[in-house]
Amino acid sequence: MIATIRVDSPSSKLAFTPDGKLAYTVDTGSGRVSVIDTKVHSVIASITIAGNPTNVAITPDGKLAYVIAGAFGDTPVSVIDVKTHSIVAEIPITRANSLAISPDGTVVYLTIESGNTVPVIDVKTQSIIATIPVENGGSIQEPIDNIAFTPDGKLAYVANRTADSVSVIDVKTHSVMATVPVTLPEVIKFIL
């Protein structure tokens, strides 16, 4: 072990900048995000956000961090400038459950707790540009705790909580192009 770094409260998620110099960790329960300098192994900033943060993701260019507060009430998605460690935008999407940033860094896809849509955020404007209904056999289902982009960024996959399926989204059109039935163990593998 090289170092133990103390943060405000139990940390559940962690994201590194692409250059590996900084780590952003959500301090669930404290309402803060800690910024760790990986060279000196210490917290260099603590950012207070609305609600209790549950997840964080950093854009591929390393300029922005997106933080969600999960099912802990009506809290927006916070956008943090990685250079200044300050909040630069709050996007009015509440009860976000998970998030993923496209490989080209242009959009953020979210799943919503007890929801049936995938909101899409434009990284350039920090605005919601689409809301994708996730369907299976004509009935709308809730997304589960995971969403992922293919390495080329053309497709996003969302595991559907109650439908035993995975929705395949065309990222160019922000629409569901297929719904793939899977067994529960396959959904669990996708989540993990």
Side-chain angles (χ1 to χ4, degrees):
M1 178 170 60
I2 295 174
T4 299
I5 304 163
R6 301 280 178 215
V7 292
D8 291 327
S9 66
S11 183
S12 61
K13 299 290 181 177
L14 181 73
F16 288 90
T17 54
D19 62 10
K21 292 181 180 178
L22 299 175
Y24 272 62
T25 180
V26 294
D27 301 338
T28 304
S30 74
R32 292 199 252 320
V33 174
S34 292
V35 182
I36 298 168
D37 182 316
T38 60
K39 186 175 182 179
V40 296
H41 309 297
S42 64
V43 174
I44 59 169
S46 183
I47 306 154
T48 301
I49 68 157
N52 292 319
T54 56
N55 207 340
V56 60
I58 297 175
T59 55
D61 63 7
K63 293 181 179 179
L64 299 172
Y66 285 79
V67 180
I68 59 174
F72 299 106
D74 295 331
T75 54
V77 174
S78 297
V79 184
I80 299 170
D81 181 312
V82 172
K83 187 175 182 180
T84 63
H85 311 302
S86 60
I87 295 173
V88 293
E90 288 184 330
I91 303 163
I93 298 173
T94 59
R95 302 179 72 79
N97 204 29
S98 64
L99 76 163
I101 300 172
S102 63
D104 66 3
T106 59
V107 291
V108 179
Y109 274 30
L110 300 124
T111 61
I112 304 297
E113 181 69 26
S114 301
N116 56 7
T117 60
V118 175
V120 180
I121 298 170
D122 180 291
V123 171
K124 195 174 199 176
T125 64
Q126 304 307 342
S127 62
I128 302 164
I129 58 168
T131 302
I132 307 164
V134 181
E135 300 182 21
N136 179 40
S139 66
I140 296 178
Q141 304 294 330
E142 314 178 3
I144 199 166
D145 293 332
N146 206 358
I147 188 165
F149 286 91
T150 55
D152 63 9
K154 293 180 179 179
L155 303 174
Y157 285 69
V158 180
N160 296 313
R161 183 181 309 229
T162 58
D164 292 339
S165 68
V166 173
S167 294
V168 183
I169 298 171
D170 181 324
V171 175
K172 187 175 183 179
T173 63
H174 304 302
S175 61
V176 175
M177 59 183 292
T179 301
V180 182
V182 293
T183 63
L184 186 57
E186 289 170 325
V187 172
I188 290 170
K189 279 190 249 176
F190 177 77
I191 296 166
L192 302 174

